[in-house]
Amino acid sequence: MSLYDWNHDGKKDLTDDLIEYQIYQNSVGSNKNYHSPSSNRNGMSTFGAVICTILSFVGAGLFFSLLGIDTENVPVVLIIIVVAVIAGILGVIGDDRGW
């Protein structure tokens, strides 16, 4: 039997029991459809961030080299965007792998 009249119909019935059960499941994290970050993942380490930064600059250089683009003629904003995109991709990969 539920402890509260969740749907405010004046009685504590099966509907209130179901609502209360869902609230309980979401609060204790037992609902398998609800995704929450693991408690042992504290984000990327400083070492991982430094490695991702270095690899993003190297990756941007390789990107422009493979396309045959001379970086002297590329606006700085475009270089920053390419470095940021590569760093974001490497950051997600590194965080998933526990760097």
Side-chain angles (χ1 to χ4, degrees), residues 51-63 79 83 86-87 90:
I51 294 298
C52 282
T53 303
I54 292 170
L55 290 177
S56 66
F57 282 111
V58 171
L62 289 173
F63 174 77
I79 294 173
V83 169
I86 293 172
L90 290 174

Side-chain angles (χ1 to χ4, degrees), residues 23-85:
I23 292 170
Y24 172 75
Q25 290 297 321
N26 286 335
S27 67
V28 297
S30 296
N31 189 352
K32 301 299 182 197
N33 295 328
Y34 180 74
H35 176 69
S36 64
S38 175
S39 62
N40 61 356
R41 290 180 58 189
N42 296 326
M44 184 179 287
S45 68
T46 304
F47 175 74
V50 170
I51 294 298
C52 282
T53 303
I54 292 170
L55 290 177
S56 66
F57 282 111
V58 171
L62 289 173
F63 174 77
F64 287 116
S65 294
L66 290 174
L67 293 179
I69 299 173
D70 185 17
T71 54
E72 291 180 4
N73 299 329
V74 177
V76 174
V77 175
L78 184 61
I79 294 173
I80 292 171
I81 291 171
V82 169
V83 169
V85 167

